[in-house]
Amino acid sequence: MKSKFIILPAILAAVLLGGNCKPKETITITGSETMHVMLQMIGLEYSRRHSGIQVAVHGGGSIEGIEKLFQAKTDIAAASRPLTESEWKGLDSKGKFESLAVAYDGIAIVVHPSNKIQKIDLETASRVFSGEISDWSQLGGKSGKISVVIRNDKSGTASYFETHVLRQKDLGTKNYEARKNLDYSKDAKVVADNDSMAAAIETDPNSIGFMGMGSALYENKGRVRALEYSRSKTGSYVTPSIENVYNRKYELSRGLYLFYLSDHGQKIDDFVTFVTSEDGQKIILKSGYLRGSLPTVEVEAQK
């Protein structure tokens, strides 16, 4: 009598090989939405080269990443701004930690592609995002109520923009002291990430917002258009680009950081080494950001 139990060759091979398969180790990165796609690209390449490592990238904003690192719920925090004094003290209490600028990025002020406005200066941007200027006709555009779109309070980009543009820190101490308690327009629409920002602007021709340069020029190209920017009304208006950030011509830019505790192990050190290597930095450049290490900086326009 024939056996009722038949083990197919493919199943048998899978069973035999499965016993020799080791589960992949995971490196978890949490934080900046600005850095999200860039880190995904780096993570995919790193996992391709190291088959036993999986890099999981989660967003949520810079504050989310820093909080998760403090709570030991992520291996690495990604942030589009430096640590505050209280955050620094909090992480320092957990043990020695590392702070590393891995890339640089411009912040782009963005509008709907059909908007006829081409440029904006810092003071005007401050008045627009605070609600003091509320109609496009006040800027020389077609009449229509300006719809302000901003990121939520976990965003490092929003924090930087609030300080340096809305509250005019880039115009000096006197301006900042006069406006340091200024808030965004009470009618501003708050979104969680760059994709939501692009979607809000794409569906409303009267809207204006801000996002990382790489996100504006590459990830959301065609959905939003970046304005030329100047710190003063009489200065040169400059388009956000890798070359203009590198040459310090585009004046609305900041560092992008990774934070991690030093005792997290060799796998974290190896990953960070890859990020700062020539191959890792080329991926950063390809994703639309200025590399953090400058031995052979490339500033050619992206294809």
Side-chain angles (χ1 to χ4, degrees):
M1 182 177 181
K2 293 183 179 180
S3 172
K4 295 182 179 179
F5 300 100
I6 302 174
I7 301 179
L8 298 176
I11 297 176
L12 178 60
V15 171
L16 293 175
L17 291 173
N20 296 323
C21 290
K22 294 181 180 179
K24 286 189 175 184
E25 289 189 86
T26 300
I27 296 173
T28 305
I29 308 173
T30 308
S32 171
E33 291 290 343
T34 294
M35 301 169 69
H36 194 90
V37 172
M38 176 185 78
L39 291 171
Q40 282 185 323
M41 290 173 66
I42 292 172
L44 285 172
E45 178 60 20
Y46 189 79
S47 295
R48 188 185 70 80
R49 299 185 183 200
H50 301 80
S51 57
I53 299 288
Q54 177 181 343
V55 181
V57 182
H58 305 286
S62 298
I63 292 178
E64 179 81 3
I66 294 166
E67 288 177 348
K68 285 288 194 296
L69 182 61
F70 183 80
Q71 297 164 2
K73 293 181 179 179
T74 191
D75 296 311
I76 299 173
S80 56
R81 60 165 178 79
L83 294 172
T84 64
E85 184 177 351
S86 62
E87 289 168 344
W88 190 279
K89 289 180 179 178
L91 287 177
D92 196 47
S93 70
K94 294 291 183 179
K96 186 178 179 182
F97 71 96
E98 302 293 336
S99 171
L100 182 65
V102 296
Y104 292 88
D105 180 33
I107 296 177
I109 298 175
V110 293
V111 296
H112 190 274
S114 67
N115 195 311
K116 301 301 182 184
I117 299 298
Q118 297 296 318
K119 61 186 182 180
I120 196 166
D121 65 272
L122 189 154
E123 183 183 351
T124 300
S126 173
R127 295 179 65 201
V128 167
F129 281 89
S130 67
E132 296 170 61
I133 293 176
S134 58
D135 196 284
W136 285 110
S137 61
Q138 295 174 266
L139 302 180
K142 184 179 178 180
S143 180
K145 180 177 172 57
I146 298 173
S147 302
V148 174
V149 187
I150 61 174
R151 291 284 306 283
N152 61 27
D153 59 8
K154 289 186 178 293
S155 164
T157 303
S159 176
Y160 188 95
F161 193 88
E162 179 182 73
T163 299
H164 291 264
V165 177
L166 179 72
R167 297 175 179 172
Q168 300 185 10
K169 188 173 183 179
D170 282 356
L171 292 182
T173 303
K174 183 178 180 180
N175 287 63
Y176 180 65
E177 286 298 319
R179 297 174 71 87
K180 65 182 180 181
N181 295 317
L182 186 68
D183 290 324
Y184 287 113
S185 168
K186 60 181 177 58
D187 297 322
K189 180 178 181 177
V190 182
V191 297
D193 52 40
N194 289 326
D195 186 62
S196 299
M197 173 76 73
I201 294 174
E202 187 179 28
T203 55
D204 182 359
N206 285 327
S207 58
I208 188 170
F210 55 82
M211 61 179 63
M213 179 186 74
S215 183
L217 301 184
Y218 302 101
E219 298 159 33
N220 291 297
K221 183 178 181 181
R223 304 177 74 191
V224 301
R225 179 171 58 79
L227 296 177
E228 296 175 10
Y229 176 80
S230 175
R231 279 188 181 173
S232 69
K233 295 179 183 296
T234 58
S236 297
Y237 288 83
V238 178
T239 301
S241 69
I242 293 175
E243 184 173 5
N244 288 337
V245 170
Y246 171 64
N247 291 329
R248 303 299 187 264
K249 291 180 179 179
Y250 188 75
E251 298 180 301
L252 187 54
S253 59
R254 64 335 185 7
L256 304 179
Y257 300 85
L258 295 182
F259 306 119
Y260 57 99
L261 296 177
S262 301
D263 61 357
H264 267 202
Q266 189 63 42
K267 70 176 182 179
I268 305 302
D269 289 337
D270 291 343
F271 175 75
V272 172
T273 297
F274 176 72
V275 175
T276 57
S277 71
E278 187 67 15
D279 287 346
Q281 293 290 294
K282 283 181 178 178
I283 296 173
I284 286 172
L285 187 67
K286 185 178 180 180
S287 66
Y289 300 93
L290 179 65
R291 49 189 292 159
S293 58
L294 304 174
T296 56
V297 174
E298 300 173 38
V299 296
E300 292 88 4
Q302 300 297 302
K303 300 295 185 184

